[in-house]
Amino acid sequence: MSNSPLTPGVVADRLPPAAYAENFSDVQPVLDRHEARVAADRCYFCHDAPCMTACPTSIDIPLFIRQIATGTPDAAAKTIFAQNILGGMCARVCPTEQLCEEVCVREVAEGKPVEIGRLQRFATDTLMGKGVHPFTRAAATGKRVAVVGAGPAGLACAHRLAMRGHDVVVFERRAKPGGLNEYGIATYKTPENFAAREVEWLLKIGGITVKTGVELGRDVTLDQLQADYDAVFLGIGLAGVNALRAVGEDLAGVRNAVDFIAELRQSDKAQVAVGRDVVVIGGGMTAVDAAVQSKLLGANSVTMVYRRGKDKMSASVYEQDHATGAGVRIIYGAAPVKVLGSAAVEGVEFAYTHDGPNGLEMGETFTLKADQVFKAIGQTLTAAPIAKDGAKLVKQQGKIWAGGDCAAGGEDLTVTAVAEGRDAAEAIHASLMA
Amino acid sequence: MANLTTNFIGIKSPNPFWLASAPPTDKEVNVRRAFEAGWGGVVWKTLGSEGPPVVNVNGPRYGAIWGADRRLLGLNNIELITDRPLEVNLREIKAVKRDYKDRAMIISLMVPCDEDSWRDILGHLEDTEADGVELNFGCPHGMAERGMGGAVGQVPEYIEMVTRWCKKHTRMPVIVKLTPNITDIRKPAEAAKRGGADAVSLINTINSITSVNLDSFAPEPTIDGKGTHGGYCGPAVKPIALNMVAEIARSRETHGLPISGIGGITTWRDAAEFMALGAGNVQVCTAAMTYGFKIVQEMISGLSEYMDEKGMTNTSELVGRAVPNVTDWQFLNLNYVTKAHISQDDCIKCGRCYAACEDTSHQAIAMGPDRTFTVKDDECVACNLCVNVCPVENCITMVELPKGAIDERTGRPVSDYANWTTHPNNPTATAAE
């Protein structure tokens, strides 16, 4: 610990070594058997359950909870994985408070839903802990499918295709598969290298070859893939980051939040540099993950600034509370005007906003001291060969399918990407076998 | 505040809550703790004849079933009568009674089926100053194979004979404890009455196997790979016990015979129900074994509050209040029509009523696109299943149709009282004049 939270500038090693281990450990550990039994007992086994409807992957939640309650967590896990092969990661990162748990009838009745996410994690961790892969491949079809992007959509698609008997090659531009699961999620939500372990477990189905370091448009073209394969699935995510469009955003110390989060996931935490006074601009999960982790790295002050009100924020109330609980200050209703500084950032000037006839209007300004600024105001599709005018991809055109964040429609959630990848696989299967 | 003091066959106790003859009443230390906690009386765990005491197994003697959150719903046991020497028990009974004169002290007995054995044991009790005896004709395991307990309770002639011996050889009131492991509870009760019993107490435990271990393929509790049937008790047996109490209370032959109610009593409400069906007091075991002696304090406060609300000043005003309303099916009013009603304000939209009705009953609940559940009055037969499966108490209620209203299911107006005995579909109906 050569530095402290008060050391000026963007530096690493602000905390004693033990603090890093504690700060980045599992934010919510897995339930033990007794806790799971108690939590499962609360499920009413609803008819046509609202939780199941709310789940983008339509997991049969009442059934898997009943399987936990009756002492068969492996069967519960199979129920989950049959719909969502990345059920382990989704159990960790799904905003359940906005999905299944929000509509749980016990949330309606008591303000305390059945802990569906944690129960899902109990079941999936139990089965995955045994190293068992619960699915086998159908007889080989002789068909070959290319999947571009080894994120949640691509992996879900590849797994389902392999299960149906097709041979799959997954192309991934980064060094490791996993996509946002590996590079884009806060460390404390998925510690102990879970994303990599999950991919390894998923690939046990067989029939899937992953080629990393291969980028569409650079190392391989879409035409080539179409020529070489019976079908192509694009799950390429959103690689571009929206600009602030404010003066000074090129100053040293201004950084994309997604890059910071990715660095954190791949590094020894003590080696990751963070400012003394951090300002995060944006209101989504990426903003929260960057803000909270800045604090956990030892930043002295972290402020999240969102241009609209609390109710408009895409990060859930649960996430916002998590951030404020970690010591992050959230300012609602303010937009950046100018990034201040000469060589490096020294502060950000914001203007309070209000709704006007032509959208958000700027009012009174204020300045926040900052030696590091994270931009987290959304991502865009940048894959030049296929993106038209920055619009998201259509779900199917000819022998090309698309799913996940890069595709039109649906929320940009891991679980939505899984659903779209899985459904695209079924559509590809139907098309190839027709 | 209501007076909970009860006088049961001449035995006074500050409240109607006694601990049943069972492990909680096996020793002085337990019984003193029970009295300190507030119990009105105890039935001391069953004593046997003089001589070497019985032995118990040295492996598990209890099995159980559970509800949500591992709430114990039913307990079974293969424990026998006291395995401590007779003289030790008698000495302790005397010591406790001396210190708690206001509490009821009953001694449970089980000895071989001959007059000398009963005369001998009763003779030993004289000195204890106990208030009464209870004849254990109930335990279904262990002792029954030796011709005692349940083996006696299943033969009305033996009950009558032994009861008569006991009345002959003691001045103390005699309570006969009945086994439910028979087909008609009225027969042993009648036998006890003929023998001169002052009261009956019921129910003893029900023959049961609580579970089977699916790894060792043995019943539980398991002793060295084997299991045996044991006596079942706890909340799960309450409905069976209530019916048996009611049968005795309303039977012409046994009406008025004092009853000490036993069987799954866990709260003041359970106790009040037994008393309303004719029990002059109640005995508790499983609830104490599950939660400890302190539960009696809730029973006392709850019963007091209830009686105050009802304007009752003495437990005798409660005892038997529901007996006139227990009848035979054939006398139920077939022209009483109700329809289920779902309170939309209380509904949490779980849909369990819908699944139950649609899958297993009368397809009388409609599910709207926004998960609004409503009753179809033209299909509803008022079976009450939706009420029973709904997780929210009083969300679904049964609403009575007033006289003259049209029952949409039958198209007929609700008319005056009429029962099966006069129904046209009844081949043996007596014509209404």
Side-chain angles (χ1 to χ4, degrees):
Chain A
M1 184 183 159
S2 51
N3 293 307
S4 83
L6 297 178
T7 307
V10 181
V11 298
D13 204 19
R14 287 183 183 273
L15 301 173
Y20 290 103
E22 191 185 325
N23 288 357
F24 290 91
S25 66
D26 215 337
V27 67
Q28 196 167 43
V30 66
L31 298 173
D32 67 25
R33 271 184 57 210
H34 171 71
E35 291 169 322
R37 190 72 175 263
V38 171
D41 272 341
R42 295 187 67 239
C43 175
Y44 284 143
F45 203 72
C46 293
H47 171 75
D48 190 14
C51 53
M52 191 173 163
T53 310
C55 175
T57 54
S58 306
I59 292 171
D60 193 337
I61 293 165
L63 178 60
F64 95 66
I65 293 179
R66 189 173 169 84
Q67 288 166 324
I68 291 173
T70 56
T72 52
D74 289 357
K78 282 176 205 163
T79 300
I80 295 161
F81 290 134
Q83 288 297 111
N84 181 339
I85 197 64
L86 295 176
M89 181 60 81
C90 288
R92 289 162 167 79
V93 303
C94 256
T96 51
E97 65 281 359
Q98 294 176 316
L99 297 169
C100 51
E101 292 177 15
E102 181 179 47
V103 298
C104 174
V105 300
R106 297 202 81 145
E107 170 66 21
V108 176
E110 305 157 31
K112 190 172 184 300
V114 174
E115 292 182 285
I116 299 167
R118 300 192 75 190
L119 285 164
Q120 177 165 322
R121 176 158 172 201
F122 170 77
T124 53
D125 276 15
T126 301
L127 185 68
M128 291 174 77
K130 295 177 182 169
V132 174
H133 189 89
F135 302 105
T136 52
R137 299 185 69 194
T141 61
K143 304 285 185 186
R144 297 177 71 238
V145 182
V147 170
V148 185
L155 289 170
C157 182
H159 183 272
R160 185 56 64 102
L161 287 167
M163 220 170 102
R164 295 286 178 232
H166 310 295
D167 288 323
V168 186
V169 179
V170 181
F171 300 95
E172 168 57 48
R173 71 185 173 96
R174 302 236 210 193
K176 292 185 192 173
L180 288 181
N181 289 357
E182 179 61 44
Y183 294 96
I185 288 163
T187 302
Y188 51 81
K189 289 181 187 167
T190 169
E192 291 160 19
N193 213 18
F194 179 76
R197 286 191 285 122
E198 184 178 46
V199 173
E200 190 184 323
W201 170 86
L202 177 147
L203 293 176
K204 284 185 183 169
I205 183 86
I208 304 172
T209 307
V210 179
K211 295 186 174 176
T212 53
V214 181
E215 185 170 346
L216 184 67
R218 186 189 71 190
D219 307 308
V220 64
T221 68
L222 198 52
D223 287 344
Q224 218 178 314
L225 292 178
Q226 290 193 79
D228 294 350
Y229 294 87
D230 296 298
V232 179
F233 175 78
L234 301 174
I236 54 178
L238 300 172
V241 176
N242 289 336
L244 292 180
R245 288 179 294 190
V247 175
E249 83 174 284
D250 297 327
L251 285 171
V254 181
R255 195 177 182 195
N256 291 328
V258 290
D259 296 336
F260 171 65
I261 292 167
E263 182 193 351
L264 257 165
R265 282 292 296 279
Q266 306 300 321
S267 313
D268 171 9
K269 308 297 172 275
Q271 302 306 313
V272 178
V274 70
R276 168 185 154 138
D277 299 297
V278 176
V279 169
V280 181
I281 300 169
M285 302 272 268
T286 301
V288 170
D289 283 357
V292 169
Q293 294 192 110
S294 296
K295 196 71 199 164
L296 299 180
L297 284 175
N300 188 50
S301 82
V302 179
T303 309
M304 235 177 102
V305 185
Y306 175 56
R307 65 197 179 111
R308 293 182 185 275
K310 185 180 171 85
D311 55 317
K312 292 269 174 48
M313 200 152 164
S314 68
S316 67
V317 172
Y318 173 86
E319 288 287 337
Q320 294 176 45
D321 289 348
H322 177 66
T324 53
V328 173
R329 176 187 178 204
I330 304 180
I331 295 175
Y332 302 98
V337 177
K338 192 194 293 180
V339 181
L340 310 170
S342 45
V345 58
E346 290 164 18
V348 185
E349 184 182 315
F350 289 93
Y352 285 114
T353 61
H354 55 269
D355 282 313
N358 303 311
L360 273 192
E361 291 179 2
M362 309 284 219
E364 187 183 325
T365 61
F366 63 95
T367 300
L368 291 179
K369 186 180 168 197
D371 44 27
Q372 190 169 35
V373 174
F374 290 118
K375 298 185 282 185
I377 55 171
Q379 284 124 262
T380 48
L381 192 60
T382 57
I386 41 171
K388 295 189 179 73
D389 314 324
K392 286 194 170 185
L393 306 179
V394 295
K395 290 234 167 111
Q396 191 231 327
Q397 197 166 34
K399 59 197 282 191
I400 302 173
W401 277 261
D405 290 359
C406 69
E411 301 228 27
D412 290 350
L413 294 173
T414 305
V415 65
T416 307
V418 172
E420 292 178 1
R422 175 200 70 194
D423 294 347
E426 293 293 359
I428 291 168
H429 174 67
S431 151
L432 294 182
M433 305 313 285
Chain B
M1 197 167 127
N3 179 9
L4 295 188
T5 305
T6 55
N7 181 337
F8 184 73
I9 58 171
I11 303 168
K12 291 197 177 66
S13 60
N15 62 56
F17 306 113
W18 293 4
L19 281 170
S21 166
T25 62
D26 190 30
K27 293 193 299 290
E28 179 175 350
V29 59
N30 304 66
V31 175
R32 282 186 184 276
R33 286 176 60 82
F35 283 159
E36 285 306 309
W39 290 89
V42 303
V43 183
W44 198 276
K45 185 168 166 87
T46 308
L47 309 184
S49 299
E50 241 184 325
V54 303
V55 295
N56 272 301
V57 294
N58 295 296
R61 58 184 78 168
Y62 302 120
I65 63 162
W66 297 271
D69 206 6
R70 221 175 137 83
R71 182 169 294 236
L72 192 141
L73 297 181
L75 187 71
N76 122 323
N77 83 86
I78 54 169
E79 183 171 295
L80 303 185
I81 63 173
T82 185
D83 55 10
R84 306 188 315 144
L86 177 63
E87 57 275 18
V88 172
N89 278 304
L90 294 174
R91 189 170 65 234
E92 292 184 2
I93 291 168
K94 185 174 180 179
V96 177
K97 179 63 192 178
R98 192 185 58 217
D99 291 346
Y100 294 92
K101 290 200 169 26
D102 65 326
R103 313 300 172 94
M105 174 66 81
I106 313 300
I107 302 172
S108 174
L109 299 173
M110 184 195 292
V111 295
C113 215
D114 60 76
E115 188 167 358
D116 287 347
S117 297
W118 285 96
R119 184 177 54 223
D120 286 351
I121 187 74
L122 288 165
H124 282 298
L125 309 185
E126 290 293 334
D127 189 39
T128 62
E129 292 182 46
D131 300 295
V133 295
E134 184 180 80
L135 313 186
N136 182 344
F137 294 158
C139 285
H141 51 265
M143 305 308 288
E145 291 92 320
R146 304 174 204 178
M148 292 183 268
V152 177
Q154 287 173 328
V155 184
E157 291 76 11
Y158 292 172
I159 294 175
E160 182 179 344
M161 177 177 72
V162 177
T163 307
R164 188 163 282 130
W165 292 336
C166 291
K167 285 303 290 181
K168 192 164 110 190
H169 296 298
T170 182
R171 292 163 298 166
M172 283 187 275
V174 173
I175 303 168
V176 175
K177 188 167 181 177
L178 304 180
T179 175
N181 298 311
I182 40 87
T183 48
D184 184 347
I185 195 67
R186 293 172 301 184
K187 302 303 174 195
E190 288 164 17
K193 191 179 177 187
R194 282 197 303 274
D198 296 281
V200 289
S201 57
L202 69 157
I203 58 174
N204 204 311
T205 56
I206 303 173
N207 260 330
S208 61
I209 290 174
T210 46
S211 57
V212 176
N213 187 305
L214 291 177
D215 296 317
S216 63
F217 298 100
E220 291 182 323
T222 310
I223 304 291
D224 192 23
K226 305 284 183 194
T228 187
H229 63 87
Y232 195 46
C233 53
V237 311
K238 181 187 137 192
I240 297 166
L242 280 177
N243 176 57
M244 289 184 165
V245 166
E247 287 298 289
I248 292 170
R250 76 191 185 94
S251 160
R252 190 180 311 158
E253 286 72 22
T254 50
H255 182 71
L257 178 64
I259 300 169
S260 186
I262 312 170
I265 295 162
T266 308
T267 67
W268 71 267
R269 184 177 291 275
D270 299 327
E273 291 175 19
F274 272 87
M275 293 170 77
L277 282 178
N281 73 1
V282 295
Q283 297 183 30
V284 176
C285 172
T286 309
M289 291 181 72
T290 309
Y291 303 108
F293 290 142
K294 190 176 160 181
I295 53 158
V296 73
Q297 291 160 21
E298 165 269 311
M299 293 179 172
I300 290 169
S301 64
L303 187 62
S304 296
E305 188 176 310
Y306 167 76
M307 287 173 58
D308 287 346
E309 279 170 19
K310 294 289 175 189
M312 299 176 187
T313 53
N314 193 289
T315 54
S316 61
E317 293 169 65
L318 170 61
V319 175
R321 279 286 280 270
V323 175
N325 293 327
V326 184
T327 185
D328 293 335
W329 190 93
Q330 61 181 342
F331 299 122
L332 296 176
N333 183 5
L334 295 174
N335 289 332
Y336 173 76
V337 182
T338 65
K339 298 289 175 187
H341 177 263
I342 301 171
S343 161
Q344 299 302 330
D345 286 344
D346 295 315
C347 177
I348 60 171
K349 302 185 188 297
C350 69
R352 292 216 318 211
C353 58
Y354 175 82
C357 192
E358 193 68 14
D359 287 356
T360 71
S361 289
H362 297 82
Q363 297 75 47
I365 294 178
M367 179 174 169
D370 58 345
R371 297 185 72 80
T372 300
F373 298 93
T374 46
V375 176
K376 297 185 250 180
D377 282 356
D378 56 342
E379 299 288 351
C380 178
V381 303
C383 74
N384 212 41
L385 181 63
C386 55
V387 173
N388 297 140
V389 302
C390 177
V392 180
E393 196 176 3
N394 295 325
C395 172
I396 309 181
T397 48
M398 282 293 162
V399 179
E400 182 181 353
L401 292 192
K403 200 170 291 177
I406 303 294
D407 177 351
E408 287 181 42
R409 186 175 67 85
T410 60
R412 288 198 293 270
V414 177
S415 51
D416 292 333
Y417 172 92
N419 63 43
W420 176 245
T421 62
T422 57
H423 196 279
N425 289 15
N426 181 354
T428 62
T430 49
E433 295 297 327

